[in-house]
Amino acid sequence: MTRRGDRQRYWRTNLRYVFTLLAVWFLVSYGFGILLAERLNRIRLGGFPLGFWFAQQGSIYVFVILIFIYVRLMDRLDRRFNLHERKDR
Amino acid sequence: MNVQAWTFVLVTLSFALYIGVAIWSRARSTGDFYVAAAKVPPVLNGMATAADWMSAASFISMAGLIAFMGFDGSVYLMGWTGGYVLLALLLAPYLRKFGKYTVPDFVGDRYYSQTARIVAVVCALFVSFTYVVGQMRGVGIVFSRFLGVEIHVGVWIGMMIVFLYAVLGGMKGITYTQVAQYCVLIFAYLVPAIFVSLLMTGIPIPQVGFGVTVVDGSGTFLLERLDGLTRELGFGVYTEGRKATLDVLFITAALMVGTAGLPHVIVRFYTVPLVRQARSSAGWALLFIAILYTTAPAVAAFARTNLLTTLANQPYASVPNWFRNWEATGLIQFEDANGDGLIQYTGPLSSVPNELTIDRDIMVLANPEIASLPAWVVGLVAAGGLAAALSTAAGLLLVISSSVAHDLLKKSFHPSITEKGELRAARTAAGVAVVVAGYFGINPPGFVAEVVALAFGLAASSFFPAILLGIFSKRMNHYGAVSGMIAGIGFTLGYILYFKFLYPELNDVEHWWLGVSPEGIGTLGMVINFLVATTVSRFTPAPPREVQKLVEDIRVPRGAGAGHELSA
């Protein structure tokens, strides 16, 4: 088992990842998809008004990517602190 | 073969598949029954979660809702997917580390309180029953249209199938059935969408198709044409929002947080072997969900364009066959108010009175017929809709039965019950729940998606804050959690009952508190829950040391957790 200070550092890094990723989550959905949608709609992405695209397509793609980024980051963090699970459970 | 024959063949084949899978993977222990012995690989778990999660509302109602709401329909798309980010980052890994059977299990142990456990059970039962109502209505609609039976006969058939594999197989059976159901439903959703996209834009990928030009050579973008049609007929521009921004924010948040708090989704993260797999299976689940959720707005735009061009200002005498079929079910109604024989199909902003009423729930089911696709595609959509409704119903029934058998009997009122007795109790509870759900399926209290949306408000205002604070605040105690849950769900339920059932005539922007609709009120309920919980916990004693250690322990994937290993 790791020492107490290590656990705290692990937890704080985890919180930092979560906070950063949720900031992006907030930006693409509530930001681009709702609050700024009307303004973004003046820009076009092919046939899509941009705000509309974020609300009905873009934000969903970003959500998927965010989760897989988190998975990667946490896998690395678990290993760094020797907290990853062994296969023999 | 005609539509009816194809439907019969495809529905029978898919049902035979589900029952075969259920028999092959039936449960033998309570661990099997509640969490599939925690042995499901993450990709399959993601698929099962996607089927569990995507209900009749997602499959049947959502594209229809978006087709009629346009931009405002985005709340459902972002709301119902964004919650998975919260789930993956804030809940899933910690609940997996905790590793028990149900959500009330976590609440009861973390808050070292039987009261907290029972409040959580009541919330879980309430959310699940509200939700299951929508599924049963979906089953009824599909059967009544495609097999030509009465709605209640359709519901009975559906309930018997669910009973068979939920009661027999438990979580283990349900998981593998849901994997099969996901494959059926996604195939059924994509095939007509790809066909229609090709027909209208020449592009086989619907997600791209609705952003390009239509094939008639005019060079106009599909969405431009749709915007033009909706403006002309007085519906308001399709790609622009009409709802108040504050309400849109609240509804989106309620759906996101509600998604993260739904007990039948959370419990799916107990079924993978490792904490890291709980994280990644949330990602897989969202990926599989996103395939349908990014297709739905394309289907919506195609269907709306098709509908407006084939019906608006056309003579009633020459309407296509599908129109007559749906008219017979009463889900399309035409009343020639001015007697000119033409269909005046207009929106609220037009000066010409509207003569046509279309039930939004039929859009996905009617879409293949509207685009004149072959009969087997129509049958496939019916099978897909049933898969979506039945997989979700099964997941919910499992939550109901495990809440009753595990949390109420084993953990609260009858701790000496044997494993065999508990398993029997779980199966009996599932049986009773099937009957209750069937009753509501025959007497449904409203729109599929609307009713489901309410379940989210209830989940958002009860579970989410209690679980989140349980993980992220070591200081949170049972006084805070219990009073928070009661305040949150009490407020939300009161608000919804007031506007939806007691005074439905007052249900409009003018009377809403702060302009927040009943669909979005769960967000406020959640805030109230957080405030009450934090305030109360501050003035009451801190949780005991072993609980604080438990919290520290679930924050790391490995170690010191002998008491929290899964006892399968």
mmCIF file of all heavy atoms in Angstrom, chain B residues 193-212:
data_model
loop_
_atom_site.group_PDB
_atom_site.id
_atom_site.type_symbol
_atom_site.label_atom_id
_atom_site.label_comp_id
_atom_site.label_asym_id
_atom_site.label_seq_id
_atom_site.Cartn_x
_atom_site.Cartn_y
_atom_site.Cartn_z
ATOM 1 N N ALA B 193 -32.227 4.786 -41.797
ATOM 2 C CA ALA B 193 -31.586 6.109 -41.805
ATOM 3 C C ALA B 193 -30.621 6.225 -42.979
ATOM 4 O O ALA B 193 -30.582 7.248 -43.670
ATOM 5 C CB ALA B 193 -30.853 6.341 -40.482
ATOM 6 N N ILE B 194 -29.855 5.149 -43.232
ATOM 7 C CA ILE B 194 -28.903 5.161 -44.338
ATOM 8 C C ILE B 194 -29.645 5.222 -45.687
ATOM 9 O O ILE B 194 -29.308 6.016 -46.564
ATOM 10 C CB ILE B 194 -27.980 3.932 -44.264
ATOM 11 C CG1 ILE B 194 -27.039 4.069 -43.061
ATOM 12 C CG2 ILE B 194 -27.176 3.755 -45.543
ATOM 13 C CD1 ILE B 194 -26.260 2.830 -42.707
ATOM 14 N N PHE B 195 -30.695 4.409 -45.796
ATOM 15 C CA PHE B 195 -31.523 4.428 -47.007
ATOM 16 C C PHE B 195 -32.041 5.841 -47.290
ATOM 17 O O PHE B 195 -31.912 6.366 -48.399
ATOM 18 C CB PHE B 195 -32.743 3.505 -46.832
ATOM 19 C CG PHE B 195 -32.567 2.129 -47.397
ATOM 20 C CD1 PHE B 195 -32.696 1.011 -46.596
ATOM 21 C CD2 PHE B 195 -32.306 1.957 -48.747
ATOM 22 C CE1 PHE B 195 -32.543 -0.270 -47.111
ATOM 23 C CE2 PHE B 195 -32.164 0.679 -49.279
ATOM 24 C CZ PHE B 195 -32.277 -0.428 -48.448
ATOM 25 N N VAL B 196 -32.657 6.441 -46.285
ATOM 26 C CA VAL B 196 -33.279 7.758 -46.467
ATOM 27 C C VAL B 196 -32.222 8.804 -46.796
ATOM 28 O O VAL B 196 -32.421 9.649 -47.677
ATOM 29 C CB VAL B 196 -34.075 8.166 -45.201
ATOM 30 C CG1 VAL B 196 -34.613 9.576 -45.334
ATOM 31 C CG2 VAL B 196 -35.210 7.194 -44.957
ATOM 32 N N SER B 197 -31.070 8.710 -46.116
ATOM 33 C CA SER B 197 -29.998 9.663 -46.383
ATOM 34 C C SER B 197 -29.535 9.565 -47.843
ATOM 35 O O SER B 197 -29.339 10.580 -48.515
ATOM 36 C CB SER B 197 -28.832 9.408 -45.431
ATOM 37 O OG SER B 197 -27.840 10.387 -45.596
ATOM 38 N N LEU B 198 -29.391 8.313 -48.320
ATOM 39 C CA LEU B 198 -28.998 8.101 -49.713
ATOM 40 C C LEU B 198 -30.030 8.687 -50.671
ATOM 41 O O LEU B 198 -29.686 9.383 -51.632
ATOM 42 C CB LEU B 198 -28.851 6.608 -49.994
ATOM 43 C CG LEU B 198 -27.463 6.011 -49.833
ATOM 44 C CD1 LEU B 198 -27.520 4.507 -50.013
ATOM 45 C CD2 LEU B 198 -26.503 6.642 -50.845
ATOM 46 N N LEU B 199 -31.311 8.404 -50.393
ATOM 47 C CA LEU B 199 -32.379 8.885 -51.261
ATOM 48 C C LEU B 199 -32.412 10.400 -51.339
ATOM 49 O O LEU B 199 -32.604 10.992 -52.391
ATOM 50 C CB LEU B 199 -33.739 8.387 -50.753
ATOM 51 C CG LEU B 199 -34.091 6.934 -51.019
ATOM 52 C CD1 LEU B 199 -35.423 6.592 -50.355
ATOM 53 C CD2 LEU B 199 -34.171 6.693 -52.522
ATOM 54 N N MET B 200 -32.217 11.049 -50.184
ATOM 55 C CA MET B 200 -32.411 12.496 -50.150
ATOM 56 C C MET B 200 -31.166 13.295 -50.485
ATOM 57 O O MET B 200 -31.252 14.408 -50.994
ATOM 58 C CB MET B 200 -32.968 12.932 -48.792
ATOM 59 C CG MET B 200 -34.380 12.403 -48.569
ATOM 60 S SD MET B 200 -35.093 12.919 -47.020
ATOM 61 C CE MET B 200 -35.494 14.626 -47.393
ATOM 62 N N THR B 201 -29.982 12.742 -50.141
ATOM 63 C CA THR B 201 -28.766 13.540 -50.323
ATOM 64 C C THR B 201 -27.687 12.818 -51.110
ATOM 65 O O THR B 201 -26.675 13.417 -51.455
ATOM 66 C CB THR B 201 -28.156 13.915 -48.952
ATOM 67 O OG1 THR B 201 -27.706 12.712 -48.320
ATOM 68 C CG2 THR B 201 -29.175 14.597 -48.071
ATOM 69 N N GLY B 202 -27.845 11.524 -51.352
ATOM 70 C CA GLY B 202 -26.818 10.776 -52.058
ATOM 71 C C GLY B 202 -25.636 10.399 -51.182
ATOM 72 O O GLY B 202 -24.655 9.846 -51.661
ATOM 73 N N ILE B 203 -25.713 10.690 -49.882
ATOM 74 C CA ILE B 203 -24.624 10.369 -48.957
ATOM 75 C C ILE B 203 -25.112 9.289 -47.995
ATOM 76 O O ILE B 203 -26.164 9.442 -47.375
ATOM 77 C CB ILE B 203 -24.223 11.613 -48.134
ATOM 78 C CG1 ILE B 203 -23.843 12.745 -49.072
ATOM 79 C CG2 ILE B 203 -23.154 11.278 -47.101
ATOM 80 C CD1 ILE B 203 -22.414 13.121 -49.098
ATOM 81 N N PRO B 204 -24.356 8.163 -47.862
ATOM 82 C CA PRO B 204 -24.860 7.063 -47.031
ATOM 83 C C PRO B 204 -24.725 7.291 -45.530
ATOM 84 O O PRO B 204 -25.301 6.541 -44.749
ATOM 85 C CB PRO B 204 -24.017 5.873 -47.480
ATOM 86 C CG PRO B 204 -22.779 6.469 -48.033
ATOM 87 C CD PRO B 204 -23.121 7.817 -48.569
ATOM 88 N N ILE B 205 -23.952 8.282 -45.099
ATOM 89 C CA ILE B 205 -23.788 8.505 -43.662
ATOM 90 C C ILE B 205 -24.757 9.605 -43.225
ATOM 91 O O ILE B 205 -24.573 10.774 -43.577
ATOM 92 C CB ILE B 205 -22.337 8.925 -43.327
ATOM 93 C CG1 ILE B 205 -21.362 7.864 -43.844
ATOM 94 C CG2 ILE B 205 -22.158 9.133 -41.837
ATOM 95 C CD1 ILE B 205 -19.937 8.341 -43.905
ATOM 96 N N PRO B 206 -25.789 9.229 -42.456
ATOM 97 C CA PRO B 206 -26.823 10.211 -42.107
ATOM 98 C C PRO B 206 -26.260 11.434 -41.379
ATOM 99 O O PRO B 206 -26.714 12.559 -41.605
ATOM 100 C CB PRO B 206 -27.773 9.436 -41.194
ATOM 101 C CG PRO B 206 -27.450 7.999 -41.361
ATOM 102 C CD PRO B 206 -26.067 7.905 -41.886
ATOM 103 N N GLN B 207 -25.254 11.192 -40.503
ATOM 104 C CA GLN B 207 -24.668 12.294 -39.726
ATOM 105 C C GLN B 207 -24.105 13.380 -40.630
ATOM 106 O O GLN B 207 -24.108 14.556 -40.276
ATOM 107 C CB GLN B 207 -23.535 11.781 -38.827
ATOM 108 C CG GLN B 207 -23.972 11.016 -37.593
ATOM 109 C CD GLN B 207 -24.229 9.557 -37.868
ATOM 110 O OE1 GLN B 207 -24.438 9.141 -39.008
ATOM 111 N NE2 GLN B 207 -24.234 8.747 -36.824
ATOM 112 N N VAL B 208 -23.585 12.970 -41.788
ATOM 113 C CA VAL B 208 -23.044 13.926 -42.764
ATOM 114 C C VAL B 208 -24.173 14.390 -43.680
ATOM 115 O O VAL B 208 -24.284 15.563 -44.027
ATOM 116 C CB VAL B 208 -21.925 13.268 -43.599
ATOM 117 C CG1 VAL B 208 -21.364 14.250 -44.626
ATOM 118 C CG2 VAL B 208 -20.818 12.755 -42.701
ATOM 119 N N GLY B 209 -25.049 13.422 -44.032
ATOM 120 C CA GLY B 209 -26.083 13.675 -45.023
ATOM 121 C C GLY B 209 -26.955 14.874 -44.729
ATOM 122 O O GLY B 209 -27.295 15.632 -45.644
ATOM 123 N N PHE B 210 -27.321 15.077 -43.460
ATOM 124 C CA PHE B 210 -28.237 16.184 -43.244
ATOM 125 C C PHE B 210 -27.553 17.546 -43.226
ATOM 126 O O PHE B 210 -28.201 18.561 -43.020
ATOM 127 C CB PHE B 210 -29.186 15.931 -42.065
ATOM 128 C CG PHE B 210 -28.681 16.199 -40.663
ATOM 129 C CD1 PHE B 210 -29.392 17.042 -39.814
ATOM 130 C CD2 PHE B 210 -27.565 15.570 -40.163
ATOM 131 C CE1 PHE B 210 -28.977 17.271 -38.504
ATOM 132 C CE2 PHE B 210 -27.137 15.784 -38.864
ATOM 133 C CZ PHE B 210 -27.854 16.644 -38.030
ATOM 134 N N GLY B 211 -26.231 17.542 -43.521
ATOM 135 C CA GLY B 211 -25.532 18.814 -43.638
ATOM 136 C C GLY B 211 -25.119 19.136 -45.061
ATOM 137 O O GLY B 211 -24.344 20.044 -45.295
ATOM 138 N N VAL B 212 -25.624 18.360 -46.045
ATOM 139 C CA VAL B 212 -25.234 18.622 -47.431
ATOM 140 C C VAL B 212 -26.454 19.027 -48.267
ATOM 141 O O VAL B 212 -27.544 19.200 -47.741
ATOM 142 C CB VAL B 212 -24.534 17.394 -48.063
ATOM 143 C CG1 VAL B 212 -23.278 17.035 -47.286
ATOM 144 C CG2 VAL B 212 -25.466 16.215 -48.131
#
